Amino acid sequence: MRLDKYLKVSRLMKRRTVANEACDAGRVSINGKQAKASSEVKIGDQISIAFGTRTVTVKVLKIEETTKKEDAKDLFEYL
């Protein structure tokens, strides 16, 4: 699955366009390497997102095309 779509489906970012802009600005990395919005996300990957002064790091547990709001937290775990 594309990185921008995963960030939206997992509710780590509110909209796909916002996820796209964050990737273009270089604020998102997968396994320590800067990632583009079109990068493939696989189970076990570590995604780091820089939100201002705070950085959020998560590990991908599941990949689903769509999910309910309540189940979105099951797609990743915070590190």
Side-chain angles (χ1 to χ4, degrees):
M1 176 181 282
R2 286 176 55 107
L3 175 60
D4 57 347
K5 184 169 182 180
Y6 181 80
L7 293 174
K8 185 217 178 276
V9 170
S10 66
R11 307 292 202 285
L12 286 167
M13 292 199 166
K14 202 165 192 131
R15 289 187 296 281
R16 193 166 173 178
T17 53
V18 174
N20 237 318
E21 291 166 3
C23 292
D24 291 344
R27 295 192 323 239
V28 182
S29 62
I30 298 176
N31 298 324
K33 295 181 182 175
Q34 196 171 353
K36 294 183 178 180
S38 61
S39 300
E40 284 295 312
V41 175
K42 298 179 289 297
I43 294 173
D45 283 349
Q46 285 189 4
I47 301 174
S48 297
I49 309 163
F51 290 108
T53 59
R54 204 179 85 187
T55 301
V56 175
T57 304
V58 297
K59 181 177 180 182
V60 177
L61 299 178
K62 285 197 290 186
I63 294 177
E64 294 182 12
E65 290 297 316
T66 59
T67 185
K68 294 180 181 174
K69 186 177 181 181
E70 304 83 42
D71 300 333
K73 64 184 181 305
D74 297 333
L75 298 179
F76 61 89
E77 79 173 328
Y78 288 103
L79 299 176

